[in-house]
Amino acid sequence: MVFKILVVSDSVSDKNLIKNTLSDYCVFTASNSSEAWSNLKKHQGINLVIYDVNCMDYSLFLDSLMFDENFKNLKVIIVTDNDFESKSKALTMGAIDYIRKPLHAGALQARIKLYYALLEAENQLSNQTDELVVTFERIFDEAPIGISVNYSCDVEGTERKIMKINKRFQEIVGYSKEDIISLGWEKITHPDDIAEDLHKLAQLRAGEINMYTMDKRYIRPDGSLVWVHMIIAPLKSECGQPMSYICLVQDITEKKEMEKLLSESERSKSVFLSHLPGLAYRCNNDSDWTMQYVSQGCYNLTGYKPESLLYNSEISFNEIIAPEYRDLLTQEWERILPKRAPFKYEYEIITATGERKWVLEMGQGVYNEQGEVIALEGLVLDISERKAVEDTLKYNTEHEPLTDLYNRKYLVDVLEKDLKQKKDTKKALIGINLSMIQLLAVNYGYHYVQSLMKRAAEKLKKHYQDKCILFHSRENRFVFYLWDYQEKCELVNFCNEIVKTLESFLITERIGFGMGVLEIDDSKDNTDIDMLLRKLLIASERSINLIGKDYEIIFYDENLEAVVNRERDIVDILKSIAAGEETNDKLFLHYQPIIDLETGAVFGFEALARLYTEKYGMVSPMEFIPIAEMSKLILPLGDKIIIQAFAFLNKLNQLGYKDVSVSINISVIQLLKPDFTSKLMKLIKSMKINPKNIGIEITETLFAEDSESINRIVEVLRSNGVYIAIDDFGTGYSSLAREQRIHVDCMKIDKYFVDKLLDPDLRKQITFDIISMSHKLGHCTIAEGVEHHTQLQYLKEHKCDKIQGYLISKPLSEEDAISFLEKYDSNLIFKLLNQ
């Protein structure tokens, strides 16, 4: 039998979907009621009409069918957007069922199969009795749906007599035919569905409707539920019997579960999109990024309502993108789409109020079976807050907090980039060395020095040029980076202008500064940026050393190159020593005695590192220790020095000098190493050293870098019996407030102040103030560099606790130090005082 279907809809896409889905049937289409009537008359025998209620004249069409004898029995299904009024009205006017949009191919096919089976059943029942019996048997045996036929007017009522129930019906509900007849349909129907079923049944029996459908639940014997789509329709009997009814059921449990999951998914998606800090979209792959769908988050992100962007009704998304990013965004999509790769890009948009926002777009292409891009889908998220944090972090990592100038890290980054990209451009570094400014800290304190550095920075900023950047490279140093200049004289003129600027306010402070210039030679290997900056530092320090009445600008040249080469050689020598290699180069210790002025006894020794090299002979500690710190070799070398000093202590202990101490100079790099304290205490234990005989000397400037961390380390050492001394006191960031916070045992007065004691007018000296302040803070004092009787007398009179210097002894080898102890006369101090 040919099953003919007429589809009436003004939606081309819906008509095509239905026609393609029902390709096994004969399908005709119409766009309105007029075309529908033409098709009904032209194509005789149409069995089913699928009518979209969005067609404005659907009511007139249904009315006409009911009063036309030729078509009053024609079955009609409506397609609705779930509009309750339209659905109810259409069903009242004779439609047998409804299909909810959006249309799904699978559900549509299942529904039509039911009506096809219904039509077959009706046609077969109208045939002769013998044919009816054969047909029913075949339908019942082969039908993929549940079927029951009743001869009682009480369809599925408790008093009905069921003629036949097929196997599929029994499989669906889970009961045998006998159980169904015995229990009745109400007993196996879910209580929530009984009222609707009874209401529709009453309408059918009263002739108000031709048939009815509903989704209902049966309760199976095990208590589980099965969802079915049920169709109840009358069957006319030709033998004078009462009206018969047929019941068709299709198991839709899986479909209902999928609908539930889909509903939950839609709810989750709705919740997700409502809390999304941005928007979700689907758009065309065109120059405007024409939006097919935009989520509600569009308004909060852009200031435009979603409907404003849909199909570019008021504005295109491309117009919202900041102009400088539009081409870049297009290029990135063009790059990733052929690869079918995910899209990820950060850019700025301009909102409806003119505000610029940073966004992160993440998306992907949508492709058809031919591999063509048919759309783009993705998210656009607001990352303005993240960008603000990133910008702040980036600013902080690239700038010096005191002066807000670019720092050394940024200078290194710029040089690394420019040395690769600006090969044919002249480049130079101008270093401004204000290290002499630290001398002012003695009289005016650290904060005064800081304010001077800020003033210097402000004055230097005035020399900014198009091809010139100023950096605050180190604590007391600035660097100008210049490029694309023509002649060396331009650099000289630029430096002279800087000299005038700095002289104008530093002259009142009575301090000098140094200025070095390094022209970068592109023909040489400049990959070591640290070495370039080291060369610049050497030039600026040489400038300080050569300053007389007039300032001299020092250009780095071959002579200074020799200094750098020497430094490189010393680094290699120190590396060999640190690695324990057998060479003729030696790192060893000398020991300078420290005398107690009260008792005249030897208090202890200061361990002083010495370096002998085969190439340069003896190298001053003032030279090799800064190199060791700069290269971080001070860590392994420092360990070796500590072990040597402890071994000397053990030897003194064996010789009976159990109260003599040894103090060791410790670098900031060593002290701040996380495991320094634990390693030191472990070494003390393993070498069986008395911690009370160990002194640790640290420079005063160390406390300015991180006083809280240093104090915590110092407290741990002191709690274990080690005594702590501040070395070179008075040359760093001295202030009464800072000294009160320093938890140490001794202050070592720098040789600079001891030398001043040779001046005729001792009243001008502040050495006594240092001694007095130290005592008030509970610290002892040790004067370094004592070489003359006058100095000794002053220190003794002003109650300095201890002294060291050439007046007593020069630094001694280990053997000579032991010999010094053996021969030392404790009355030596008193003899010297009486000379």
Side-chain angles (χ1 to χ4, degrees):
M1 180 185 71
V2 178
F3 193 63
K4 298 180 181 180
I5 303 170
L6 174 61
V7 180
V8 185
S9 175
D10 59 0
S11 170
V12 176
S13 61
D14 285 350
K15 284 191 290 188
N16 288 339
L17 173 63
I18 296 171
K19 192 170 183 179
N20 292 335
T21 302
L22 305 179
S23 59
D24 292 336
Y25 305 96
C26 183
V27 180
F28 306 98
T29 61
S31 299
N32 50 52
S33 62
S34 176
E35 290 182 15
W37 278 110
S38 297
N39 274 282
L40 287 172
K41 293 173 182 178
K42 180 178 178 182
H43 304 290
Q44 296 296 318
I46 289 178
N47 307 105
L48 179 68
V49 176
I50 300 175
Y51 205 105
D52 190 340
V53 298
N54 287 330
C55 293
M56 295 184 65
D57 52 357
Y58 80 96
S59 299
L60 178 62
F61 178 78
L62 291 177
D63 258 339
S64 300
L65 283 179
M66 291 182 67
F67 294 100
D68 191 319
E69 287 295 326
N70 295 321
F71 302 108
K72 66 179 181 179
N73 293 323
L74 183 62
K75 303 294 186 292
V76 179
I77 300 175
I78 65 167
V79 178
T80 177
D81 288 316
N82 203 21
D83 182 337
F84 179 81
E85 183 179 351
S86 298
K87 179 175 72 177
S88 300
K89 184 176 181 182
L91 291 174
T92 302
M93 295 176 70
I96 62 171
D97 200 358
Y98 68 92
I99 300 174
R100 193 162 47 222
K101 287 187 178 182
L103 298 174
H104 298 286
L108 186 62
Q109 283 181 330
R111 198 68 62 85
I112 298 305
K113 281 183 180 180
L114 288 173
Y115 299 124
Y116 182 76
L118 173 63
L119 180 64
E120 282 195 323
E122 286 185 338
N123 288 341
Q124 294 301 329
L125 286 173
S126 66
N127 293 336
Q128 296 182 10
T129 304
D130 55 341
E131 292 177 354
L132 178 63
V133 173
V134 173
T135 301
F136 263 116
E137 289 297 330
R138 181 173 60 81
I139 292 173
F140 270 55
D141 290 340
E142 300 177 5
I145 59 175
I147 306 174
S148 71
V149 179
N150 312 278
Y151 278 101
S152 171
C153 62
D154 296 325
V155 179
E156 292 195 44
T158 55
E159 299 178 358
R160 73 192 185 289
K161 181 179 180 181
I162 300 177
M163 184 191 81
K164 197 145 182 96
I165 299 175
N166 76 344
K167 290 181 180 179
R168 181 58 185 149
F169 194 103
Q170 297 173 61
E171 290 172 357
I172 291 172
V173 299
Y175 290 96
S176 66
K177 180 174 75 172
E178 292 75 16
D179 290 337
I180 296 172
I181 294 172
S182 173
L183 293 170
W185 69 273
E186 289 185 53
K187 292 290 186 181
I188 64 173
T189 298
H190 193 283
D192 293 345
D193 298 331
I194 293 175
E196 182 183 355
D197 204 350
L198 288 172
H199 175 69
K200 289 186 175 182
L201 177 60
Q203 286 183 304
L204 180 65
R205 292 164 62 185
E208 297 176 5
I209 56 176
N210 295 328
M211 63 178 294
Y212 74 88
T213 66
M214 70 174 287
D215 292 346
K216 64 181 284 186
R217 289 161 287 183
Y218 285 119
I219 304 173
R220 307 186 80 171
D222 61 2
S224 63
L225 298 178
V226 57
W227 275 96
V228 299
H229 181 69
M230 182 178 70
I231 301 175
I232 302 289
L235 296 174
K236 289 184 179 180
S237 172
E238 297 183 356
C239 54
Q241 295 294 325
M243 184 74 72
S244 299
Y245 293 88
I246 186 169
C247 173
L248 306 178
V249 294
Q250 175 80 26
D251 187 347
I252 59 169
T253 304
E254 185 175 346
K255 174 193 168 190
K256 284 290 185 179
E257 290 175 352
M258 291 299 294
E259 286 179 352
K260 182 180 179 182
L261 291 174
L262 180 61
S263 175
E264 291 177 354
S265 175
E266 288 296 320
R267 180 185 60 79
S268 299
K269 184 175 76 173
S270 176
V271 171
F272 169 73
L273 291 177
S274 66
H275 291 85
L276 190 70
L279 62 86
Y281 70 87
R282 181 185 175 97
C283 72
N284 296 340
N285 183 28
D286 58 23
S287 59
D288 288 325
W289 313 115
T290 302
M291 291 294 167
Q292 302 173 16
Y293 165 79
V294 187
S295 69
Q296 291 299 317
C298 176
Y299 182 75
N300 288 334
L301 179 65
T302 69
Y304 297 99
K305 293 183 178 179
E307 51 268 28
S308 301
L309 272 73
L310 288 176
Y311 301 100
N312 307 325
S313 60
E314 294 182 17
I315 189 171
S316 71
F317 189 75
N318 191 58
E319 293 176 272
I320 297 176
I321 299 169
E324 64 267 30
Y325 293 99
R326 292 171 186 170
D327 290 341
L328 296 173
L329 205 62
T330 300
Q331 292 167 13
E332 182 63 11
W333 273 111
E334 289 174 350
R335 184 184 71 83
I336 66 101
L337 283 173
K339 302 177 182 178
R340 297 200 176 201
F343 177 86
K344 189 174 183 180
Y345 202 83
E346 294 180 2
Y347 56 92
E348 288 183 283
I349 62 171
I350 300 175
T351 68
T353 60
E355 178 189 2
R356 292 178 77 98
K357 286 185 179 180
W358 273 100
V359 296
L360 166 64
E361 182 176 349
M362 297 182 291
Q364 60 187 21
V366 180
Y367 305 83
N368 61 18
E369 293 180 356
Q370 290 73 41
E372 300 169 331
V373 179
I374 58 174
L376 307 176
E377 292 180 339
L379 304 172
V380 180
L381 305 177
D382 187 349
I383 59 169
S384 299
E385 289 186 5
R386 193 201 84 192
K387 275 291 185 180
V389 172
E390 287 179 357
D391 289 344
T392 300
L393 290 174
K394 184 174 184 293
Y395 184 90
N396 291 338
T397 58
E398 293 179 350
H399 289 77
E400 196 66 32
L402 178 66
T403 58
D404 281 334
L405 292 174
Y406 287 121
N407 58 19
R408 188 180 191 278
K409 178 185 177 299
Y410 189 67
L411 171 60
V412 172
D413 292 342
V414 170
L415 289 176
E416 286 178 346
K417 178 182 176 182
D418 283 7
L419 290 173
K420 293 176 182 177
Q421 298 180 358
K422 297 180 179 178
K423 288 286 187 183
D424 300 325
T425 303
K426 282 192 172 185
K427 297 176 283 293
L429 297 171
I430 298 175
I432 301 164
N433 193 324
L434 296 178
S435 59
M436 298 295 288
I437 208 170
Q438 280 305 131
L439 296 175
L440 299 174
V442 176
N443 295 322
Y444 304 110
Y446 173 67
H447 293 294
Y448 183 77
V449 172
Q450 294 287 78
S451 67
L452 281 181
M453 290 299 297
K454 290 178 72 172
R455 285 176 57 197
E458 291 300 320
K459 290 184 177 295
L460 292 173
K461 285 177 185 178
K462 298 176 182 178
H463 294 276
Y464 263 120
Q465 298 178 1
D466 290 340
K467 297 175 181 179
C468 167
I469 306 177
L470 175 61
F471 301 84
H472 189 171
S473 60
R474 288 295 187 195
E475 188 176 13
N476 300 313
R477 299 200 292 270
F478 297 95
V479 172
F480 276 102
Y481 170 48
L482 291 83
W483 66 93
D484 202 22
Y485 62 93
Q486 301 301 317
E487 301 294 337
K488 185 176 180 178
C489 61
E490 295 178 39
L491 297 177
V492 174
N493 292 336
F494 184 79
C495 290
N496 287 333
E497 290 299 318
I498 294 172
V499 168
K500 291 178 183 177
T501 298
L502 293 179
E503 273 186 321
S504 65
F505 86 99
L506 288 181
I507 192 170
T508 58
E509 304 294 341
R510 302 179 66 82
I511 59 168
F513 60 91
M515 187 175 298
V517 182
L518 173 68
E519 291 192 90
I520 299 174
D521 187 350
D522 285 328
S523 64
K524 294 183 179 180
D525 180 11
N526 294 313
T527 54
D528 190 346
I529 304 299
D530 285 338
M531 183 53 68
L532 288 178
L533 297 178
R534 180 64 181 162
K535 290 177 179 179
L536 183 66
L537 175 60
I538 290 170
S540 66
E541 287 181 340
R542 182 61 60 91
S543 174
I544 293 175
N545 294 336
L546 292 179
I547 289 175
K549 184 176 180 180
D550 298 321
Y551 288 94
E552 183 173 350
I553 301 162
I554 300 297
F555 278 77
Y556 187 85
D557 56 16
E558 291 181 358
N559 293 328
L560 289 180
E561 183 78 25
V563 174
V564 174
N565 290 338
R566 176 184 169 97
E567 181 181 295
R568 188 183 293 112
D569 289 341
I570 292 173
V571 169
D572 292 338
I573 291 168
L574 293 176
K575 282 181 181 178
S576 298
I577 294 172
E581 297 175 6
E582 290 292 333
T583 67
N584 292 326
D585 303 313
K586 302 294 179 184
L587 179 69
F588 56 94
L589 293 180
H590 275 177
Y591 302 92
Q592 187 169 39
I594 301 173
I595 306 300
D596 189 320
L597 285 181
E598 181 69 24
T599 65
V602 177
F603 168 76
F605 294 91
E606 179 181 1
L608 301 167
R610 297 291 184 259
L611 176 65
Y612 171 80
T613 67
E614 189 174 20
K615 184 173 184 178
Y616 298 112
M618 292 298 297
V619 179
S620 167
M622 300 296 292
E623 182 178 7
F624 77 80
I625 289 179
I627 293 173
E629 290 181 327
M630 178 193 68
S631 62
K632 302 297 188 293
L633 290 169
I634 194 67
L635 294 172
L637 294 174
D639 291 343
K640 290 180 178 292
I641 287 170
I642 292 171
I643 292 171
Q644 282 189 46
F646 284 6
F648 177 62
L649 253 179
N650 274 336
K651 185 174 290 188
L652 293 178
N653 188 54
Q654 292 169 6
L655 293 172
Y657 301 106
K658 298 183 181 296
D659 296 327
V660 176
S661 65
V662 173
S663 59
I664 307 165
N665 289 279
I666 297 297
S667 164
V668 60
I669 300 171
Q670 293 172 271
L671 195 67
L672 292 178
K673 197 169 185 293
D675 62 348
F676 171 77
T677 305
S678 59
K679 280 182 65 177
L680 181 66
M681 300 315 299
K682 186 177 180 181
L683 186 62
I684 289 172
K685 185 176 181 181
S686 65
M687 294 187 69
K688 300 179 181 179
I689 302 293
N690 184 353
K692 293 182 179 180
N693 291 340
I694 300 171
I696 296 295
E697 295 190 15
I698 52 182
T699 58
E700 183 188 4
T701 54
L702 191 60
F703 282 88
E705 300 191 22
D706 191 351
S707 60
E708 291 186 6
S709 297
I710 299 298
N711 261 330
R712 283 195 295 268
I713 297 168
V714 165
E715 284 296 338
V716 173
L717 293 173
R718 293 183 71 207
S719 66
N720 282 281
V722 178
Y723 74 86
I724 309 296
I726 294 182
D727 196 17
D728 302 331
F729 179 77
T731 61
Y733 304 101
S734 301
S735 74
L736 182 59
R738 178 170 291 104
E739 305 316 326
Q740 288 176 323
R741 295 196 299 268
I742 298 176
H743 305 151
V744 297
D745 300 286
C746 285
M747 299 285 193
K748 297 195 74 173
I749 304 171
D750 187 73
K751 187 177 184 296
Y752 170 84
F753 298 103
V754 175
D755 287 344
K756 292 293 183 181
L757 296 178
L758 298 175
D759 290 350
D761 189 357
L762 293 179
R763 290 175 302 173
K764 296 180 181 178
Q765 305 312 319
I766 66 169
T767 309
F768 170 70
D769 297 326
I770 296 174
I771 296 171
S772 177
M773 181 183 71
S774 297
H775 287 165
K776 288 177 182 177
L777 294 174
H779 308 321
C780 73
T781 52
I782 302 175
E784 297 181 296
V786 178
E787 299 176 353
H788 301 277
H789 292 83
T790 304
Q791 296 167 327
L792 174 61
Q793 289 171 348
Y794 182 94
L795 294 168
K796 176 65 175 174
E797 288 173 8
H798 292 85
K799 301 187 184 309
C800 180
D801 299 292
K802 300 173 180 67
I803 64 166
Q804 69 182 91
Y806 275 74
L807 181 63
I808 305 300
S809 173
K810 66 178 182 179
L812 304 169
S813 66
E814 187 174 305
E815 293 77 12
D816 291 342
I818 293 172
S819 177
F820 175 86
L821 282 172
E822 293 172 345
K823 300 176 182 179
Y824 180 71
D825 180 2
S826 58
N827 293 316
L828 176 63
I829 293 298
F830 306 111
K831 292 176 181 178
L832 291 172
L833 288 170
N834 292 324
Q835 287 182 3

